[in-house]
Amino acid sequence: MFDRIYIEEAVREHPRTQTLLERYPKAERIECTRYGEIFNPKRQNFRLQKQNPALILAEKRGTRVLPTPPEYGLGADRHFYFSHMLNCLYDCRYCFLQGMYQSANYILFVNFEDFQAEIRDTVESDPNKSCFFFSGYDCDSLAMDRVTGFTDAFLPFFEKHPNAWLELRTKSVNVSPLLKRAPFPNVVTAFSLNPEPVANSLEHKAPPVKARLAALKKLTDAGWKIGLRFDPLIYFENCVEVYEAFLDQVFASIPADSIHSITLGTFRSPKAVFKKMETLYPEEPLFMGNLELKDGMVGYQEQIERELFERARERILQHADASQFFPCQSEALGL
Amino acid sequence: MVHYVIALPCEAQPIIQHYALKPCGGHGRARFFEGENARLVVTGISSLQSAIATTALGNRFPESGSLWLNVGICGHADAAIGKAFIANRIASDNSRGTFYPQLPWSSPWSGIGIKTLSVPSTRYEADQVFDMEGFGFYTAALVFGSSELVQCVKIVSDNAAQPADGDFDNAAISNLVAAQIPSIETFVETVEKSSGKPDASEWASEFKRMAKSRYSFTETESHQLASRVRQLDALLESDEKAVLGGLSSRTSKKEFLKELQCLIDRHSALNVCDQPDEENAQISTNRKGRAVYP
Ligand code: SF4
C-alpha cells in the first residue's frame, strides 16, 4: 500500500510505528527530524503526489484538541476537533485538503495516548457540560482505519467517557470496527452523501453512494447512531430535482430514530484554498462557473446558493425534526 | 521534455548519443545540448557549478512541467560498482537543510540518501552515497520544477573495496552511465505519462489572437480573457467552439468578456456532473466522453 514511509525521529520506537513498519516490510523507510521537512515545503505538487502518497509517521506536538468555529455545532455544550491524521485516501475534487496542504502524503500522528489525555482534560475541565469531538476534519475518520487502528484505540476510550461525544466523519464503508462491538450512544458515524451523478464525477476513489447507504443501514440495524452530512451541495443542471429525489431516497432507507444529526451546506471555500485547487485542476468544471467571491469565500452566486440550500432544507425538514438539523450556512444566507 | 544536469563530459556522452543532442551554446564553462525530447548541461564538478549551470539552463529554456534529472557517479560503502540509486534525501556537508525528493511513481532504482561533499572522500558511510553535485543541483532546479519532477540518479563508481583514487577512467564512467540508459528511459516515460498537462489548443490561441486584434485589453482584462478562453477550451466541444468566432462582433469588450463568462456558467453547470442518459443506455457518456454509471 505504501512505497515509502517517512519516520520522524521522535516516534521511531513508538509501538504503533513498530507495528506499522512490520505490516509494510517492503516500504522504503526514510528517517527525518520533523515531519514538516517533508510535508510543508512549498515546491510540491499535490495532484502528482495524490497518484501514490507516502505515509509519514509523526508525533503531534502542541495543542491537539481545538474548538470548532461556532457555526459547526451539533447541539452539545462545547464542540472540538482533533486530527490524528492529515490527508485522505479518497480524492474528492471539492476537498479543501488539496488546497490547504502542500503535500498529499498521509501524516499519521501515532501518539494517540496524548490526544486521549487532552480529550480527557477537556472533558474534565467542565464535567457538567457535554463535549462533542470531531475526528474527521483533516481526513476521513474510517477510510484508513485498517492502517491506523484509530477506532480500536478511540472507541473504548469514548465508551468510558459518556459525556464526550465522538463524530466519525466518513465516506468509507469500512464499518466492521463498529459492528464488532456492542453499540453505545456517544459515537456518531456521520456519512457524507451526495447523489450518484455528483459522487461518480467528483468523489474519486470513494465508495459508491449505494454502498455507503448500505453501510449506514448496517450500523443503524446494529443500534449505532448515525449522522447525515449533505455538504457540499453541488450546483449542476437540474440539481434541485436530483437533490430532492436523493434526499427522499436517503430518508426512506434509514429509521428516523437512528439519526443523531443532519447537516447541510453548499460548496464554498476560502479564496486562497480555491485558487490553489483551481490551479491544480484547471480543467475541472466545478471550479469554473456560477461562482462569486464574498467576504473572502468563494461560493455559488447568491441566487443559486439560496435556491439550492433552501429547497434541500425544506426537503430535509419534511423528513426530520428541526432539532436534528444543523445547517452550516444559515448566517451567510440570512436564513 | 527532460532536462539532464551532468557534471562530467564522460558521464554526459552516452546520454548525448542516446538522444542525438546537438550543442547549443553555454554559460561560463557549462555546455548546453539540445534535442527534440531532451536538453542537457555539462556543469563541471562541484555543488556550486551544478547550481549555476542548472539555473542557466532553466533560464535559457523557461518552461514548466519538465522533468529535471541529475545523473552522475557516486561512492558507497559496500554497494557494487554500477549499482544505481535514486535520491530520497539530499544533504550537504557545508549547507544546512535537507531535501526529500518526492517520488509518487515506481522507479527502477532503490532509494537512498545522498550527501553532497565539497571535497572527495573515501570515508564512506553506511546507508548513503557521496556525490559532489546533488545538493546544488536540487537547490537550483526546484525553482523550475516541483519536488516530484526534480530527481537525482546516482551510479556507484567507487566503494570501500575499490576506493576512488582521484583519476577518472572516462571510458569506465561512460559505460556505467550507458548501462543505466534503459532504466532512465523507462523512468522518464513513467513520469512524463503521469505528469503531462494538456497543451492549450490551437483554437484557444487563435481565439485570443482574434479577440486581441479587435479590442485593446487592459492587463486585468487580458488575464480575464486568458482564463475564460482556457476554461471554454476545456468545457466546449469543437463544434461549439467553432461558432464562438461570431461573439467578437459585439461592440463593447466588457460585453464580450461577459458573454464568455455566461457561456462558462452555462457549460460548467452542464459538465460538472456526469448524468445518465435516461432514455438510452444504462451506461452512457457525458459530453466530455467520460463513462457514466447508473
Ligand atoms: S472523503 Fe472527505 S477528506 Fe477525503 S477527499 Fe473526500 S472530502 Fe476530502
Side-chain angles (χ1 to χ4, degrees):
Chain A
M1 182 170 183
F2 306 109
D3 288 337
R4 283 183 168 184
I5 300 181
Y6 293 91
I7 305 144
E8 204 182 74
E9 225 167 54
V11 299
R12 200 169 33 203
E13 305 304 331
H14 193 285
R16 203 161 276 113
T17 303
Q18 293 301 320
T19 309
L20 279 163
L21 293 179
E22 277 165 30
R23 173 104 55 90
Y24 301 103
K26 289 195 186 135
E28 195 174 296
R29 299 173 186 188
I30 305 161
E31 301 217 343
C32 62
T33 313
R34 290 287 288 134
Y35 73 85
E37 293 176 282
I38 293 125
F39 199 68
N40 295 339
K42 285 235 163 17
R43 301 290 295 163
Q44 304 196 67
N45 185 311
F46 194 100
R47 182 173 179 169
L48 294 181
Q49 287 186 15
K50 199 71 193 168
Q51 295 179 31
N52 183 15
L55 175 66
I56 304 171
L57 301 174
E59 177 187 51
K60 178 68 182 165
R61 300 181 191 175
T63 310
R64 298 175 188 92
V65 175
L66 293 155
T68 61
E71 62 270 27
Y72 287 94
L74 287 182
D77 297 317
R78 299 189 294 160
H79 298 86
F80 301 90
Y81 71 96
F82 64 97
S83 298
H84 68 290
M85 194 169 172
L86 310 183
N87 277 329
C88 181
L89 186 65
Y90 308 138
D91 190 15
C92 304
R93 198 49 62 246
Y94 52 71
C95 182
F96 79 105
L97 297 176
Q98 65 197 342
M100 201 160 84
Y101 296 132
Q102 302 298 330
S103 166
N105 291 332
Y106 309 116
I107 296 190
L108 175 64
F109 295 115
V110 296
N111 52 328
F112 288 179
E113 52 290 345
D114 294 326
F115 284 98
Q116 291 176 352
E118 210 163 309
I119 292 169
R120 193 180 303 117
D121 289 349
T122 307
V123 175
E124 286 171 3
S125 69
D126 202 343
N128 295 323
K129 292 213 164 124
S130 59
C131 291
F132 212 106
F133 296 91
F134 296 94
S135 66
Y137 182 73
D138 290 301
C139 65
D140 181 293
S141 302
L142 295 179
M144 292 183 68
D145 197 57
R146 288 200 182 98
V147 174
T148 64
F150 175 72
T151 50
D152 275 346
F154 280 81
L155 290 181
F157 173 85
F158 275 89
E159 194 170 13
K160 280 193 225 130
H161 295 86
N163 210 20
W165 290 68
L166 172 68
E167 185 197 77
L168 300 166
R169 175 77 64 101
T170 194
K171 289 191 179 87
S172 170
V173 295
N174 172 31
V175 290
S176 50
L178 288 124
L179 296 178
K180 72 182 184 196
R181 295 167 197 277
F184 48 96
N186 55 322
V187 168
V188 177
T189 310
F191 281 81
S192 302
L193 297 168
N194 252 311
E196 257 180 50
V198 175
N200 290 346
S201 308
L202 299 176
E203 296 174 351
H204 305 292
K205 301 186 193 165
V209 185
K210 275 194 188 124
R212 283 181 238 168
L213 289 174
L216 231 156
K217 179 81 174 40
K218 282 187 202 159
L219 285 176
T220 57
D221 287 350
W224 289 95
K225 287 281 178 200
I226 55 100
L228 301 173
R229 305 290 174 253
F230 301 109
D231 188 2
L233 301 179
I234 301 295
Y235 175 72
F236 55 94
E237 211 188 33
N238 302 326
C239 61
V240 170
E241 292 73 22
V242 172
Y243 272 108
E244 285 178 340
F246 177 65
L247 290 167
D248 292 346
Q249 181 201 343
V250 171
F251 284 104
S253 64
I254 297 162
D257 57 359
S258 299
I259 301 174
H260 167 270
S261 51
I262 303 153
T263 63
L264 179 71
T266 52
F267 173 63
R268 64 218 176 272
S269 164
K271 184 185 170 195
V273 170
F274 181 86
K275 274 267 145 229
K276 200 172 155 225
M277 297 196 290
E278 193 191 20
T279 308
L280 285 173
Y281 295 93
E283 73 286 7
E284 173 54 59
L286 174 69
F287 304 135
M288 289 184 185
N290 308 296
L291 298 162
E292 66 183 15
L293 179 65
K294 226 178 348 185
D295 304 327
M297 295 289 282
V298 177
Y300 290 125
Q301 290 156 3
E302 191 161 338
Q303 200 190 337
I304 289 175
E305 185 176 66
R306 187 178 285 273
E307 193 194 355
L308 182 52
F309 186 87
E310 185 55 22
R311 294 277 290 273
R313 181 168 91 138
E314 279 168 13
R315 203 59 156 217
I316 288 169
L317 291 175
Q318 286 173 16
H319 294 286
D321 194 272
S323 64
Q324 297 170 301
F325 183 50
F326 300 92
C328 300
Q329 266 168 315
S330 53
E331 222 173 277
L333 292 171
L335 296 169
Chain B
M1 182 61 74
V2 50
H3 289 110
Y4 289 96
V5 176
I6 296 185
L8 300 168
C10 59
E11 292 170 318
Q13 199 49 41
I15 297 175
I16 291 171
Q17 261 168 16
H18 176 73
Y19 287 99
L21 304 180
K22 299 273 176 288
C24 63
H27 176 91
R29 273 183 284 168
R31 308 274 30 109
F32 297 157
F33 297 81
E34 190 180 17
E36 206 179 316
N37 303 314
R39 297 187 185 110
L40 183 148
V41 57
V42 180
T43 65
I45 297 172
S46 89
S47 196
L48 182 62
Q49 301 251 46
S50 186
I52 291 169
T54 303
T55 304
L57 187 69
N59 287 338
R60 166 90 181 267
F61 301 104
E63 74 184 32
S64 65
S66 308
L67 171 63
W68 287 77
L69 263 188
N70 169 225
V71 179
I73 53 170
C74 67
H76 186 274
D78 52 21
I81 307 290
K83 182 165 173 57
F85 296 96
I86 189 160
N88 58 25
R89 189 174 190 279
I90 305 171
S92 153
D93 66 349
N94 72 351
S95 300
R96 283 160 55 108
T98 305
F99 295 111
Y100 294 86
Q102 293 301 304
L103 187 69
W105 306 288
S106 60
S107 112
W109 310 287
S110 312
I112 201 161
I114 292 183
K115 189 169 180 186
T116 298
L117 305 178
S118 19
V119 286
S121 168
T122 51
R123 275 194 255 151
Y124 303 106
E125 288 173 18
D127 300 331
Q128 65 179 344
V129 298
F130 289 162
D131 85 336
M132 298 192 70
E133 289 82 30
F135 193 87
F137 157 75
Y138 213 86
T139 311
L142 271 186
V143 172
F144 306 109
S146 64
S147 176
E148 303 76 22
L149 297 176
V150 180
Q151 302 289 344
C152 292
V153 174
K154 295 288 152 179
I155 307 159
V156 177
S157 63
D158 50 281
N159 55 27
Q162 291 166 271
D165 60 8
D167 285 332
F168 292 115
D169 176 343
N170 292 349
I173 290 172
S174 289
N175 286 338
L176 291 178
V177 175
Q180 289 303 321
I181 284 184
S183 300
I184 293 174
E185 181 96 313
T186 309
F187 180 68
V188 169
E189 262 173 39
T190 306
V191 176
E192 290 188 335
K193 217 167 23 191
S194 322
S195 64
K197 278 197 218 152
D199 293 332
S201 73
E202 263 178 44
W203 171 82
S205 321
E206 179 54 27
F207 189 80
K208 274 189 286 188
R209 197 196 54 71
M210 188 253 317
K212 283 181 174 168
S213 70
R214 194 164 294 242
Y215 304 109
S216 149
F217 292 106
T218 64
E219 191 154 337
T220 310
E221 288 165 342
S222 284
H223 284 303
Q224 285 176 349
L225 174 72
S227 128
R228 287 174 199 183
V229 171
R230 177 183 53 72
Q231 295 184 345
L232 285 169
D233 198 17
L235 284 173
L236 299 181
E237 300 292 344
S238 348
D239 52 336
E240 292 164 330
K241 288 177 191 168
V243 297
L244 272 192
L247 272 182
S248 62
S249 61
R250 311 263 167 194
T251 47
S252 124
K253 66 177 171 180
K254 292 250 177 303
E255 200 180 328
F256 171 73
L257 287 170
K258 205 168 140 200
E259 291 240 10
L260 294 185
Q261 187 56 52
C262 288
L263 276 170
I264 292 167
D265 289 347
R266 196 157 71 238
H267 285 270
S268 67
L270 285 170
N271 280 267
V272 75
C273 284
D274 300 325
Q275 292 206 63
D277 175 349
E278 281 169 24
E279 281 176 17
N280 299 313
Q282 284 287 294
I283 295 178
S284 59
T285 54
N286 77 336
R287 291 154 59 83
K288 298 175 88 181
R290 288 185 284 187
V292 179
Y293 297 93

